[in-house]
Amino acid sequence: MSATTLSTSSLQHAGLVRPILTSAVLGAFLIFAAGFASSDALHAATHDTRHATGFPCH
């Protein structure tokens, strides 16, 4: 019984890793892509967000 519970728990944990990792990669891409964008308004918005979250930007 305990092995089945451990196995089910492992499968649930493994099922969460992919969406969390995908979200983190997508979020990092959006921050970096918008931060280095040529549009001044988009860059300024991202720059303010970086400062608000404590992310170094220069």
Side-chain angles (χ1 to χ4, degrees):
M1 178 97 177
S2 135
T4 303
T5 303
L6 180 61
S7 176
T8 303
S9 177
S10 280
L11 289 175
Q12 288 174 347
H13 182 306
L16 290 175
V17 172
R18 189 172 189 176
I20 291 171
L21 186 60
T22 301
S23 298
V25 169
L26 179 62
F29 172 75
L30 289 175
I31 293 289
F32 283 108
F36 293 115
S38 60
S39 168
D40 287 337
L42 184 58
H43 176 80
T46 305
H47 189 255
D48 293 344
T49 303
R50 285 179 169 185
H51 280 292
T53 59
F55 188 82
C57 56
H58 21 102

